[in-house]
Amino acid sequence: QVQLVESGGGLVQAGGSLRLSCAASGSIFSINFMRWYRQAPGKQRELVATITSGGTTNYADSVKGRFTISRDNVKNTVFLQMNSLRPEDTAVYYCYAFQTISGIGGHYWGLGTQVTVSS
């Protein structure tokens, strides 16, 4: 089992920045990749950014050039640095981890952290 706890959300004005953190604990070995998703009111959850165990990163087109995903392997934490925030970035942001043990995949989610961007 993997436990994920997000932090760092809040209220910020358009053009501002926030850094989200996702602390992983439990059986964190063999995590293949971690992601940030977001879900705005009335909308489907969407993938924002991915970082693999090898350090490869990918981003949704809507956040490229503004958001950066990174990780601290010592602290078992993944970050999402969000710059040049826009009102449309307002959402609950969720951390996700995918782990493979003995060929069996496991999906883990945090409870989310609210990000609100005012215009």
Side-chain angles (χ1 to χ4, degrees):
Q1 292 288 323
V2 175
Q3 293 80 45
L4 302 173
V5 178
E6 303 97 334
S7 61
L11 174 64
V12 64
Q13 288 188 332
S17 298
L18 283 174
R19 188 174 83 153
L20 305 183
S21 299
C22 173
S25 61
S27 301
I28 60 173
F29 53 91
S30 299
I31 289 179
N32 301 82
F33 56 84
M34 295 185 70
R35 289 174 164 167
W36 286 98
Y37 285 81
R38 67 186 181 186
Q39 187 167 20
K43 295 187 177 181
Q44 289 188 330
R45 192 169 296 191
E46 66 171 339
L47 175 60
V48 175
T50 301
I51 187 164
T52 70
S53 58
T56 301
T57 58
N58 283 289
Y59 300 91
D61 287 343
S62 59
V63 306
K64 279 181 182 177
R66 300 189 298 123
F67 290 11
T68 302
I69 189 171
S70 63
R71 65 184 187 189
D72 183 329
N73 290 332
V74 174
K75 297 182 178 179
N76 299 319
T77 301
V78 171
F79 304 98
L80 186 68
Q81 178 67 43
M82 306 186 295
N83 299 328
S84 302
L85 283 161
R86 305 167 180 168
E88 54 264 39
D89 295 318
T90 295
V92 177
Y93 284 71
Y94 297 91
C95 183
Y96 165 88
F98 178 76
Q99 179 188 55
T100 304
I101 298 178
S102 300
I104 299 174
H107 305 268
Y108 301 96
W109 292 90
L111 295 179
T113 185
Q114 175 71 47
V115 171
T116 303
V117 184
S118 63
S119 57

